[in-house]
Amino acid sequence: MRGDVPAVGLARDQEQRVVGGFLWALLVLLLASNVVDSLRFGRGYLQPSVVAANLAVVLFILGAVHLNRSGRTRLAASLAAGLLMLAASALPLTQGLADSAPSLLVFFVPLVTAGLLLDRFALRVTAGWALAVVVAAPLLHGESLFGDGGDGGVWYLLGPFVMVFAFVAFLLDRFGLRFKESMREAFLSQARAQAELLEEKGFTDAIIESLPGLFFVRDRAGRYVRWNRRFAELAGYSDDELRSLEPLALFEPASRDVAAAGIERVFSEGQATAEVRFMGRDGRVHPYFVSAARVERSGRQYLVGTAIDRSDIDAARASIESLNVALQERVGRLTALRDIDRAIIGSLDIGLTLGVLLEQVTSRLRVPAARILLYDEVEQALRFGASHGLAGVGARGLRVALGQGPSGTVARDRRRVVVTGRGAVAAVVGVEEGAGFESYVGVPLVAKGRLQGVLEVLHDQPLPESDDWHDFLDALAMQAAIGVSNARLFEELERSNVELRLAYDTTIEGWARALDLKDQETEGHSRRVTELAVQLAARLGLRGEDLVQVRRGALLHDIGKMGVPDAILLKPGKLDPDEWEVMKSHTTLAYELLSGIPFLRSAIDIPYAHHERWDGTGYPRGLKGEEIPIGARLFAVVDVYDALTSDRPYRRAWSREKALAYIRDNAGTHFDPRVVDAFLEMMGEREEPARVAARRDPRGGEPGGAEEPQD
């Protein structure tokens, strides 16, 4: 696994160190042995063959050291073991136990080395090689292996050695290799833990060094025990000097009381923050914001602090404030555009829209004055529209032709024009009103490809060079153009609607007069019943468009008689049943005529249903009670009253009192009682017209009795 790689490397390093120590120990042992022998035997020991043999062994050991350093640890250990065995085989074994025992003990060194450093195969090979050398050594020196006669020979010494050697080899084979593996695993675990600690330490050090500000740790006595590179650079002291500094030496004298109080709070409360000024070795002062906390380790308390350069904080604050100002400016501009939109949507009064627009222009663009000139397409000239920050009195009659001056140039070319200089601006606006303004900018108001006017902005300073300012001016000009265009379209539409309504109403009145002229006996009837019907409708609570429809329906109540033959319509006497059926069809004819005209469809109730009766006996549909439209119910009362009080070919006019009595008597049968009450109340407030009194029968009665009136 990846996590074991550092541990395995550490284990290999440990093996290299062990084998290296073993090799250097052999070298030292060899040199010491030669020194002892030279002192013991004198010059006789320094024979060329001995010197050559020792030099060869030294070179052999140094070669093994080089192999070990190159990473070939096992080969180096094997060479060292073989060297020991060769050296041991060269020693005589018959000089007595005291002299031969060291030679024999040397054979255990490669055996143990192979068992603890190498593997099982190396152990067995080393054991076999060592035993072979021990057996062959006496033969090489011409000694007797078993002795002659009573002499035990070399085997007397080798017998116990071979048994002990074999027993040691057995123990190493059975238990030594397991011990080696256990030790290796233990060492690998230790190496892993050490590697993890080193990795964590490296990671922690990297974090500390990467902190944007200062980092330091100090004990309760005020001694610094750890810090990052930035802290050392700011202080300007060496590591040893930092460790021996006075507790408050790194603080400016004026900040030492604050620092001391903060340190005390950390150790008493656990944490603290403060703004202090550090002073380095060079005497320079650095403002910092310090945050510190108390940390305990091994029963000792430490202060761990981090510090951020306050100049960075101040710069960040300034940047945030600048962003806030810019954000508020943008929000304000969006609010201005929204307010203008509301003014455009909420009111189609062009004066109100221009007032809101100019107020937003002056406040958001921070200019003292602004003006709007509206374009008159008929005259092809600019006229005064509205102004803010200017008196405007002298500009009411202003007229600027296309191409005349900066304003006319803006309108003609539909492009922005800028004028600078107090004199030049005064000439544009007017000497009196333009005095004191340093700059002028005119922007065309164009909506849907049509010129609506010119927005003029006046400033007592040079115009800002910011693109945002000019872009916002263009946005305001676009909003202004839309507002002016919408207001003008509404005015034109409203004017067209008024003209159309007048045309319709004039046509309706013309139809009513035509009907009256056709029947001279009923001349003026439509006008009279219309006036009474509108008054009665208002008394009953009808308002607005409902009154308009009552008026139109009253004027057109007999429009269906245009389809009745004149022989029936103008007959001087009573109508026979067949003729009466034809006459009654005028309500259906009115419905068929008016239902095809959308404008008059809402006024169809009176022409179609004014002959319906409250008790359901009327025509053409036999409606009853409140099934009859309110307009038809109130008009029925007015129509019957006017018919009764007017002369007809078949009878004379009734008196006012007689007609009102008839209306009262037929409430609940012919007429709506509530409408009758309102009508009688209204008529009680009116004076009897003189013309009705003049038409009364000199006998004081009305011909025809109380028979049903025919209109």
Side-chain angles (χ1 to χ4, degrees), residues 580-652:
W580 180 242
E581 289 300 323
V582 174
M583 177 64 76
K584 286 167 58 177
S585 68
H586 77 279
T587 56
T588 305
L589 293 173
Y591 176 82
E592 294 174 353
L593 175 63
L594 299 179
S595 61
I597 304 175
F599 180 75
L600 297 175
R601 197 171 294 157
S602 299
I604 206 170
D605 288 342
I606 292 177
Y608 189 33
H610 69 284
H611 284 295
E612 300 285 356
R613 298 171 66 97
W614 183 257
D615 59 4
T617 60
Y619 65 89
R621 292 176 290 170
L623 300 178
K624 182 179 180 180
E626 293 189 358
E627 294 177 353
I628 307 170
I630 182 62
R633 279 182 272 152
L634 68 89
F635 184 78
V637 175
V638 171
D639 188 39
V640 170
Y641 174 79
D642 188 79
L644 290 174
T645 55
S646 301
D647 288 331
R648 293 300 172 91
Y650 51 86
R651 61 161 173 81
R652 289 183 176 275

Side-chain angles (χ1 to χ4, degrees), residues 561-572:
K561 290 183 178 180
M562 295 179 67
V564 177
D566 289 347
I568 297 174
L569 182 65
L570 302 178
K571 184 178 180 179

Side-chain angles (χ1 to χ4, degrees), residues 324-344:
N324 284 337
V325 170
L327 179 60
Q328 291 175 0
E329 182 68 21
R330 291 183 180 275
V331 171
R333 291 178 177 179
L334 291 175
T335 302
L337 295 176
R338 183 195 63 184
D339 292 342
I340 295 172
D341 283 338
R342 286 181 175 178
I344 293 173

Side-chain angles (χ1 to χ4, degrees), residues 270-576:
Q271 59 182 6
T273 57
E275 292 187 6
V276 298
R277 297 170 68 87
F278 285 102
M279 184 174 65
R281 186 173 191 172
D282 55 5
R284 290 189 298 174
V285 176
H286 308 274
Y288 271 83
F289 180 82
V290 182
S291 177
R294 182 184 64 214
V295 175
E296 295 188 9
R297 180 183 179 186
S298 301
R300 301 184 63 182
Q301 294 183 344
Y302 296 90
L303 181 149
V304 179
T306 57
I308 300 177
D309 193 343
R310 205 170 68 198
S311 58
D312 295 340
I313 297 177
D314 295 340
R317 287 175 179 171
S319 177
I320 292 173
E321 290 177 359
S322 176
L323 291 175
N324 284 337
V325 170
L327 179 60
Q328 291 175 0
E329 182 68 21
R330 291 183 180 275
V331 171
R333 291 178 177 179
L334 291 175
T335 302
L337 295 176
R338 183 195 63 184
D339 292 342
I340 295 172
D341 283 338
R342 286 181 175 178
I344 293 173
I345 296 172
S347 174
L348 292 172
D349 182 353
I350 192 170
L352 177 62
T353 301
L354 295 182
V356 172
L357 172 73
L358 291 177
E359 182 179 355
Q360 295 295 337
V361 167
T362 54
S363 62
R364 298 301 177 182
L365 293 178
R366 296 184 178 87
V367 294
R371 185 173 68 177
I372 289 181
L373 304 180
L374 298 177
Y375 178 62
D376 188 336
E377 292 184 346
V378 177
E379 295 187 6
Q380 293 190 347
L382 298 173
R383 294 286 190 180
F384 176 81
S387 66
H388 186 88
L390 298 171
V393 176
R396 298 296 180 185
L398 179 67
R399 182 184 183 280
V400 179
L402 294 182
Q404 179 184 349
S407 304
T409 302
V410 172
R412 182 192 63 190
D413 299 341
R414 299 189 180 187
R415 62 178 179 84
R416 177 182 303 192
V417 172
V418 177
V419 177
T420 58
R422 295 183 181 271
V425 174
V428 174
V429 183
V431 177
E432 182 177 353
E433 291 188 335
F437 293 111
E438 180 66 29
S439 53
Y440 160 96
V441 57
V443 184
L445 305 181
V446 179
K448 299 178 182 179
R450 296 180 60 184
L451 178 66
Q452 303 295 332
V454 174
L455 170 61
E456 299 178 316
V457 174
L458 302 168
H459 206 337
D460 52 7
Q461 300 175 8
L463 292 177
E465 297 181 357
S466 169
D467 292 338
D468 288 343
W469 191 91
H470 292 278
D471 291 342
F472 186 54
L473 174 60
D474 292 337
L476 291 173
M478 182 178 297
Q479 291 292 97
I482 294 173
V484 172
S485 176
N486 288 349
R488 284 180 164 177
L489 288 175
F490 178 76
E491 288 179 353
E492 294 174 359
L493 180 61
E494 192 175 44
R495 184 166 52 251
S496 298
N497 286 338
V498 170
E499 293 174 353
L500 185 60
R501 281 174 172 268
L502 290 175
Y504 273 124
D505 289 342
T506 302
T507 301
I508 293 171
E509 291 177 0
W511 288 352
R513 284 197 299 270
L515 287 173
D516 288 346
L517 291 175
K518 184 177 183 181
D519 186 1
Q520 295 182 356
E521 294 295 332
T522 61
E523 183 179 358
H525 169 70
S526 296
R527 176 180 55 79
R528 294 192 303 271
V529 294
T530 298
E531 292 176 358
L532 285 176
V534 171
Q535 293 175 16
L536 181 58
R539 182 174 288 268
L540 290 170
L542 275 65
R543 298 288 184 272
E545 186 65 22
D546 291 336
L547 284 179
V548 173
Q549 300 306 329
V550 167
R551 180 179 182 277
R552 292 173 179 167
L555 287 171
L556 297 172
H557 75 281
D558 278 341
I559 191 66
K561 290 183 178 180
M562 295 179 67
V564 177
D566 289 347
I568 297 174
L569 182 65
L570 302 178
K571 184 178 180 179
K574 287 188 177 183
L575 302 178
D576 59 36

Side-chain angles (χ1 to χ4, degrees), residues 12 15-17 19-20 23-24 58-81:
R12 289 177 180 174
E15 286 184 354
Q16 285 182 350
R17 287 195 294 270
V19 173
L23 292 174
W24 285 112
V58 170
L59 294 176
F60 192 87
I61 294 174
L62 292 177
V65 170
H66 176 72
L67 291 174
N68 181 53
R69 289 181 176 177
S70 301
R72 306 176 71 180
T73 302
R74 292 180 179 271
L75 178 59
S78 300
L79 291 177

Side-chain angles (χ1 to χ4, degrees), residues 111-261:
L111 183 68
V112 174
T113 302
L116 296 181
L117 292 180
L118 303 178
D119 51 17
R120 175 168 291 174
F121 177 76
L123 172 65
R124 293 175 179 177
V125 170
T126 303
W129 190 2
L131 290 175
V133 171
V134 168
V135 173
L139 300 177
L140 292 175
H141 290 279
E143 299 177 352
S144 174
L145 184 62
F146 298 101
D148 297 328
D151 188 3
V154 178
W155 187 249
Y156 175 77
L157 178 64
L158 294 180
F161 168 78
V162 170
M163 289 187 291
V164 173
F165 190 87
F167 180 71
V168 171
F170 174 77
L171 291 178
L172 289 174
D173 182 63
R174 292 296 179 183
F175 304 105
L177 293 176
R178 296 180 183 177
F179 175 74
K180 182 195 72 171
E181 292 300 325
S182 299
M183 293 297 295
R184 181 180 178 85
E185 289 297 326
F187 182 76
L188 283 175
S189 299
Q190 181 181 3
R192 291 190 192 100
Q194 184 178 0
E196 290 177 358
L197 289 176
L198 291 175
E199 185 178 358
E200 289 293 332
K201 183 178 180 302
F203 182 66
T204 303
D205 291 342
I207 291 176
I208 292 174
E209 291 299 330
S210 64
L211 291 175
L214 308 181
F215 174 84
F216 59 92
V217 180
R218 49 185 288 166
D219 59 17
R220 188 144 194 171
R223 292 187 297 270
Y224 293 96
V225 297
R226 189 168 183 182
W227 52 85
N228 64 352
R229 177 178 51 81
R230 293 177 183 270
F231 184 83
E233 292 175 352
L234 179 142
Y237 294 97
S238 66
D239 292 350
D240 293 336
E241 289 174 333
L242 275 174
R243 292 188 180 92
S244 60
L245 279 177
E246 293 294 327
L248 300 177
L250 286 180
F251 297 98
E252 182 194 27
S255 298
R256 288 177 182 175
D257 292 340
V258 176

